[in-house]
């Protein structure tokens, strides 16, 4: 049984006057522990697809199975639990609270978990240290560089120990060195910690750090290829 399986998935946005088709019958499966890049130009439908996989939006037609169960059979409470415990999200724009500390930002998902409050700081600090930012835990996120903010976003995604990390253009706002450090963290999370990584990108070089590339064009799955030798980063960042 695949962790994720989509069949003939379609998405049409309908504002009541205009219908805008975005996905046109996409089918693929992802196994637990894979590192998959979904690649395509702007407007290809890749971010829409990620939102569907992350239960952030509903599809129009087709089917989506998560953990062997039809996504539409989950209750609202079950979906909230999946988003909190099984999925971690990383976005291009970081989505951090600018006047909250690194520790406070990383703790946020724990507010909606069933984990005792007495453990929140311990878990958050562990996640922060895992991305090499233990010395920045008391800094406001507004005081950090772009690369550091994205690493905080990764720590926040990790704090509830999700099975799957969904990363939407995580290097899009970063310079090459900072972007390399972010990709290095994602590779470590996949190879050493066993997280399933789904990475959205329009950059070929970034996609080739994954082990498999799905190419989306005009809302269609154009190709599904295995990367024989994924690129290794050389950011110089020491990871714990």
């Amino acid at each position: 049984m695949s962790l994720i399986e989509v069949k003939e998935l379609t998405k049409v946005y309908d504002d009541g006057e205009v219908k805008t088709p975005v996905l046109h019958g996409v089918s693929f499966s992802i196994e637990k522990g894979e590192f998959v890049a979904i690649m395509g130009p702007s407007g290809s439908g890749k971010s829409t697809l990620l939102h569907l996989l992350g239960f952030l939006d509903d599809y129009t037609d087709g089917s989506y199975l998560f953990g062997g169960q039809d996504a539409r059979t989950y209750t609202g409470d079950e979906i909230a639990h999946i988003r909190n415990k099984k999925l971690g999200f990383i976005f291009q724009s970081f989505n951090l609270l600018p006047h909250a500390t690194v520790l406070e930002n990383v703790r946020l998902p724990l507010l909606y978990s069933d984990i005792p409050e007495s453990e929140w700081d311990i878990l958050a600090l562990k996640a922060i240290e895992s991305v090499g930012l233990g010395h920045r835990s008391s800094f406001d996120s507004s005081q950090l560089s772009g690369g550091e903010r994205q690493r905080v976003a990764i720590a926040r995604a990790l704090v509830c120990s999700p099975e799957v990390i969904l990363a939407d253009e995580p290097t899009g706002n970063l310079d090459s060195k900072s972007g390399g450090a972010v990709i290095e963290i994602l590779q470590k999370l996949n190879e050493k910690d066993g997280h399933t990584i789904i990475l959205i990108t329009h950059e070929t070089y970034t996609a080739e750090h994954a082990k498999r590339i799905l190419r989306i064009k005009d809302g269609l799955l154009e190709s599904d290829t295995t990367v024989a030798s994924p690129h290794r980063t050389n950011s110089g960042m020491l990871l714990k």
Side-chain angles (χ1 to χ4, degrees):
M1 179 182 68
S2 299
L3 177 62
I4 286 172
E5 186 172 357
V6 300
K7 293 181 179 179
E8 296 298 321
L9 202 67
T10 69
K11 177 62 178 177
V12 179
Y13 289 104
D14 185 352
D15 66 3
E17 296 182 1
V18 178
K19 292 185 177 182
T20 306
V22 180
L23 296 174
H24 307 280
V26 175
S27 301
F28 61 87
S29 60
I30 295 176
E31 306 301 322
K32 184 176 180 180
E34 283 199 89
F35 186 167
V36 178
I38 300 176
M39 185 182 173
S42 297
S44 61
K46 59 187 186 300
S47 290
T48 295
L49 177 58
L50 191 78
H51 288 176
L52 299 181
L53 298 180
F55 293 87
L56 299 175
D57 198 358
D58 191 17
Y59 52 92
T60 303
D61 203 356
S63 67
Y64 170 31
L65 275 64
F66 181 85
Q69 182 173 335
D70 190 320
R72 285 184 168 167
T73 67
Y74 286 109
T75 66
D77 286 345
E78 287 172 333
I79 290 172
H81 177 76
I82 289 170
R83 284 200 299 245
N84 183 253
K85 289 291 295 180
K86 295 183 179 293
L87 303 175
F89 297 91
I90 305 167
F91 299 99
Q92 180 178 353
S93 56
F94 318 134
N95 289 359
L96 302 178
L97 298 177
H99 301 300
T101 67
V102 168
L103 179 61
E104 289 167 341
N105 270 286
V106 174
R107 276 176 36 148
L108 279 175
L110 297 169
L111 297 174
Y112 308 98
S113 74
D114 54 6
I115 297 170
E117 187 175 354
S118 60
E119 298 179 24
W120 290 358
D121 282 357
I122 296 170
L123 292 173
L125 286 169
K126 181 180 178 181
I128 292 165
E129 289 169 359
S130 75
V131 297
L133 287 177
H135 61 299
R136 293 278 200 247
S137 62
S138 62
F139 282 58
D140 282 359
S141 65
S142 60
Q143 297 175 284
L144 306 180
S145 68
E148 288 174 330
R149 291 180 195 179
Q150 194 58 288
R151 284 153 61 187
V152 173
I154 293 173
R156 182 184 57 194
L158 290 175
V159 74
C160 289
S161 300
E163 291 182 46
V164 183
I165 295 174
L166 302 169
D168 193 356
E169 299 278 8
T171 63
N173 287 334
L174 306 179
D175 59 45
S176 59
K177 182 177 180 180
S178 298
V182 166
I183 293 298
E184 183 177 349
I185 293 171
L186 294 178
Q187 287 180 317
K188 171 185 175 290
L189 292 173
N190 174 250
E191 295 175 2
K192 295 186 178 181
D193 300 334
H195 291 279
T196 303
I197 310 290
I198 303 176
L199 167 71
I200 295 291
T201 184
H202 65 276
E203 301 168 335
T204 300
Y205 178 75
T206 299
E208 288 175 348
H209 286 81
K211 298 175 182 176
R212 179 180 166 203
I213 301 175
L214 304 179
R215 286 183 170 84
I216 303 289
K217 185 177 181 181
D218 298 329
L220 296 167
L221 181 61
E222 191 176 45
S223 64
D224 181 350
T225 58
T226 299
V227 180
S229 299
H231 288 324
R232 306 303 306 169
T233 59
N234 187 27
S235 69
M237 177 182 171
L238 178 62
L239 298 175
K240 297 182 179 181

